Amino acid sequence: MEYVYAALLLHAAGKEINEENVKAVLEAAGVEVDEARVKALVAALEDVNIDEAISKAAIVPAATPVPAATEEVKEEEAKEEEKEEEEEEAKEEEAVEGLGALFG
């Protein structure tokens, strides 16, 4: 993720996103630089319009309050976890019943 942040920082500063600049930003942040990841990032961003990508990613309906959506997601996740736990318990019970049949 820090590689993408380095590219975004360079873009925001109006600097060219190239291997040298990305590496310099990462090193300044104290990140151990992986040359292959830097090359892959620069190659992947070569034909990307970063402003357009950011604007598409940042579109959020104004009428939807973020905290409410977050609470709904948390509730749904909690329900899913409960359901998964119940299914897991049912499977365990079936396995125990199966073992009981083996040993009478």
Side-chain angles (χ1 to χ4, degrees), residues 91-104:
K91 287 180 183 178
E92 287 175 7
E93 288 176 11
E94 289 176 13
V96 169
E97 288 174 10
L99 288 175
L102 288 174
F103 298 109

Side-chain angles (χ1 to χ4, degrees), residues 46-85:
E46 194 169 291
D47 295 325
V48 174
N49 181 336
I50 294 175
D51 289 322
E52 183 179 319
I54 290 171
S55 68
K56 284 182 181 178
I59 296 175
V60 177
T64 305
V66 175
T70 303
E71 289 300 319
E72 289 174 9
V73 169
K74 286 181 183 179
E75 288 176 15
E76 288 178 24
E77 288 175 353
K79 288 178 185 177
E80 288 177 17
E81 285 180 22
E82 285 180 32
K83 188 175 180 179
E84 289 174 6
E85 288 175 8

